[in-house]
Amino acid sequence: MKRLVILVTAAVIMLSSCGTFTLEQSKVLNNADLASYKTFMIEPADGSTIPSYLSMNDVKNIYRSISEQLYKRGYTYVSTNPDMVVYVAMSVKQVIQTKDLIPPGSDFGYRYFSPRGAYLDNYYSNAQIISGITKEGVLMVDIVDARKKIHVFCAEVSSLAEDSGVNVKDLSKLDQATEVLFSRYPVLPKGN
């Protein structure tokens, strides 16, 4: 068990250094034994629910990249009666960065003669201004036990978008993002 924890930790560190993707969450749910499953399918996309910033080709690339991660772990794709059903979602949100209005310790260019200076320093040291606004894409997977109809795994990876739009066209970056997405998945890729 210690060896598994060390291998997973090493994989997370390696994959985190591969790119700028951040694993937001990764959880095994309902005490599921994910190694006991053998087959999977990805729930087909409904064209009416695909976000406007993605094309059907983008969705197919996302599905391909997720499938590759599951193939590496020994799972087989089936179109009927799978052990696991994978649901995929994506969102793009604005991220607002802030910074201190006045750097701590600054005298604001004034020299106060009374205790008021201490009060203002406290106020301004907590004040924030917007220093940047960017877009962040979050790719999410939910895996469900098809027979029991219970949620067994969920994970989210962020930073899949840039100011110019969603960055799923670059297949190598998409593959890096899905590697990070599955970096804490308890079934390691074969050969590791």
Side-chain angles (χ1 to χ4, degrees), residues 11-52:
V12 169
I13 291 168
M14 260 185 357
L15 291 171
S16 297
S17 65
C18 287
T20 59
F21 305 107
T22 304
L23 186 64
E24 298 295 333
Q25 76 165 333
S26 180
K27 297 179 193 171
V28 176
L29 304 163
N30 293 308
N31 296 316
D33 176 11
L34 297 175
S36 69
Y37 299 108
K38 303 296 177 215
T39 60
F40 77 96
M41 73 173 260
I42 298 179
E43 184 66 25
D46 176 356
S48 66
T49 61
I50 295 172
S52 61

Side-chain angles (χ1 to χ4, degrees), residues 62-181:
I62 292 168
Y63 284 8
R64 177 207 49 80
S65 190
I66 290 170
S67 294
E68 285 298 317
Q69 289 300 314
L70 293 170
Y71 293 144
K72 288 177 183 179
R73 288 162 171 79
Y75 297 107
T76 303
Y77 175 84
V78 294
S79 57
T80 58
N81 299 321
D83 297 330
M84 306 183 304
V85 179
V86 180
Y87 294 89
V88 180
M90 186 166 186
S91 72
V92 175
K93 62 182 180 181
Q94 284 190 333
V95 178
I96 299 174
Q97 296 92 21
T98 62
K99 65 180 182 179
D100 291 339
L101 178 60
I102 307 268
S106 172
D107 65 5
F108 315 114
Y110 297 98
R111 301 282 179 185
Y112 288 96
F113 304 123
S114 66
R116 182 175 180 203
Y119 163 76
L120 289 177
D121 186 47
N122 185 32
Y123 169 78
Y124 281 108
S125 67
N126 293 324
Q128 299 282 302
I129 61 170
I130 294 174
S131 60
I133 300 174
T134 58
K135 290 182 182 174
E136 181 177 272
V138 178
L139 179 64
M140 180 191 74
V141 295
D142 281 332
I143 299 180
V144 173
D145 181 305
R147 288 174 185 80
K148 296 178 184 175
K149 303 218 182 307
I150 59 171
H151 201 179
V152 294
F153 180 78
C154 67
E156 293 180 4
V157 65
S158 63
S159 300
L160 202 61
E162 298 171 348
D163 288 329
S164 59
V166 178
N167 190 10
V168 296
K169 310 272 189 248
D170 184 339
L171 298 182
S172 66
K173 291 209 183 283
L174 177 59
D175 289 343
Q176 286 176 9
T178 57
E179 282 182 35
V180 172
L181 185 67

